[in-house]
Amino acid sequence: MPELPEVETTCQGIAPHLVGNSITTVEIRNGNLRWPVSDEVYQLKNIALGKSLPPAAGNRAEPDTCVFRRAKYIIIPLPKSQHLLIHLGMSGSLRITAQEEELKKHDHVIFNLSSGLQMRYHDPRRFGSVLWTDQDLEDHRLLAKLGPEPLQDGFSTEYFIAKSKEKTKAIKLHIMDNHTVVGVGNIYACEALFLSGISPKLAAEKVSRPRLAKLHKNIRTVLQRSIDQGGTTLKDFIQSDGQPGYFKQQLNVYGREGEPCLTCESKIKRIVLGQRSTFYCPKCQK
DNA sequence: AAAACTACCTGAGTGC
DNA sequence: TGCACTCAGGTAGTTT
């Protein structure tokens, strides 16, 4: 289940195979993803890709970059201000393979590359998307209303505190809301709240300023650490070169219902917030 | 306006 | 062994 670090890892993994190459043809085996694969994707032929690699933190558009990331969208610039927007949803992955490698059941979109290799979009649950647009990205319906990137300056302590103080909903739902900040999925939300000693169900506006500042710092820490480690893998994330991305970092609470808290040995509790499992230590998190 | 809830999907796991 | 069932989760879109 790709979280932001997995998306970042994917961008870094596919970039060397895209840079300076072109998409010769696209083969769509199942275009029925979250949204139908854009008609324009079917027509792509001999399309040049960017000539420079993305910066280490790939969530910035540099001139002629072959791929970058915004939130969990993988964005591949094409000529004439066109872009591919690829989202991995819950179970998606992009892999670089040889043409002759046997297709898997859920390889839905095949990009043939001028290098002779292929980039394959694989997604068992089909929650992801492969879209084409010629709109300015900042106007695109899926990107226009996104909050700041968690690891960039726009996500400042002051911004986060001000935004939180006007919200009545549970703090966990607040930090998972893309309008607040992008890229904080269920796992990292649980972990950041644990590190901050904040109960996930506490109303955002009720969290004190110092504790919000601490949470802000921990959101960044947890994401950055995971990116550094190449992405947490729980189930089906495959790195783009095909190696399973097993970098499971130490998770303090996620998936540990009934097990002892690593700090105080109380039993980790599981509740449901916003229809999602939420794990926390009832003693350490108030 | 904001919060709460739904739909989308398949594979893994459980219980009978 | 097989069938029925539940659960997992990102997030746009809908309802309250």
Side-chain angles (χ1 to χ4, degrees):
Chain A
M1 46 199 78
E3 292 251 10
L4 184 131
E6 283 84 347
V7 178
E8 181 77 33
T9 305
T10 296
C11 284
Q12 298 294 327
I14 62 175
H17 299 280
L18 301 182
V19 66
N21 274 290
S22 52
I23 295 172
T24 52
T25 54
V26 181
E27 180 189 343
I28 291 146
R29 303 175 70 228
N30 186 349
N32 191 19
L33 305 182
R34 172 161 196 188
W35 292 289
V37 173
S38 302
D39 287 342
E40 290 84 353
V41 176
Y42 290 72
Q43 312 302 330
L44 295 177
K45 265 199 168 58
N46 300 318
I47 304 296
L49 300 171
K51 289 194 165 68
S52 62
L53 290 168
N59 51 349
R60 246 166 299 150
E62 303 286 338
D64 208 24
T65 298
C66 62
V67 58
F68 62 97
R69 174 184 73 67
R70 172 73 173 108
K72 292 178 185 170
Y73 290 92
I74 294 166
I75 302 179
I76 300 178
L78 308 177
K80 299 178 188 169
S81 303
Q82 305 166 78
H83 293 88
L84 289 178
L85 299 188
I86 300 179
H87 199 291
L88 301 178
M90 284 300 311
S91 58
S93 62
L94 282 172
R95 286 187 62 213
I96 304 291
T97 69
Q99 285 177 3
E100 52 272 22
E101 186 167 321
E102 199 167 335
L103 287 166
K104 296 188 175 178
K105 181 177 176 186
H106 299 291
D107 283 340
H108 301 314
V109 184
I110 315 295
F111 298 90
N112 284 301
L113 303 172
S114 53
S115 62
L117 298 177
Q118 294 183 332
M119 180 170 73
R120 299 182 180 177
Y121 177 83
H122 180 267
D123 187 1
R125 289 176 224 176
R126 308 208 310 274
F127 273 22
S129 50
V130 177
L131 299 174
W132 173 97
T133 184
D134 60 356
Q135 270 188 296
D136 286 344
L137 293 182
E138 54 266 34
D139 296 332
H140 193 276
R141 66 183 178 96
L142 297 176
L143 305 177
K145 291 180 179 172
L146 294 174
E149 288 288 330
L151 299 175
Q152 290 190 6
D153 294 344
F155 186 54
S156 67
T157 313
E158 305 74 51
Y159 161 85
F160 181 59
I161 291 174
K163 193 90 176 170
S164 304
K165 282 297 180 188
E166 60 191 33
K167 299 292 173 183
T168 58
K169 64 170 137 180
I171 185 70
K172 184 200 178 211
L173 300 180
H174 176 57
I175 64 176
M176 290 181 70
D177 185 337
N178 274 344
H179 300 99
T180 308
V181 59
V182 301
V184 182
N186 201 28
I187 298 173
Y188 296 116
C190 289
E191 294 298 314
L193 286 164
F194 173 81
L195 292 177
S196 308
I198 300 169
S199 167
K201 47 189 179 178
L202 189 56
E205 62 180 1
K206 302 284 189 192
V207 184
S208 71
R209 288 163 191 272
R211 298 176 83 209
L212 286 170
K214 190 171 183 183
L215 177 58
H216 171 266
K217 189 195 69 171
N218 281 325
I219 288 171
R220 290 186 153 187
T221 303
V222 162
L223 288 171
Q224 186 60 61
R225 188 172 65 199
S226 186
I227 287 173
D228 291 345
Q229 292 179 4
T232 304
T233 294
L234 294 185
K235 272 190 189 144
D236 40 15
F237 177 65
I238 306 281
Q239 284 197 70
S240 51
D241 59 2
Q243 292 179 339
Y246 274 102
F247 291 97
K248 189 167 177 177
Q249 70 177 355
Q250 186 182 40
L251 297 177
N252 289 289
V253 287
Y254 187 83
R256 299 193 62 241
E257 181 183 14
E259 294 176 35
C261 171
L262 299 173
T263 301
C264 76
E265 298 185 355
S266 300
K267 279 192 176 180
I268 299 300
K269 219 172 151 184
R270 173 184 172 276
I271 58 172
V272 174
L273 274 180
Q275 342 282 83
R276 293 288 176 259
S277 280
T278 302
F279 300 89
Y280 73 107
C281 172
K283 190 171 170 196
C284 294
Q285 295 174 255
K286 298 291 184 189

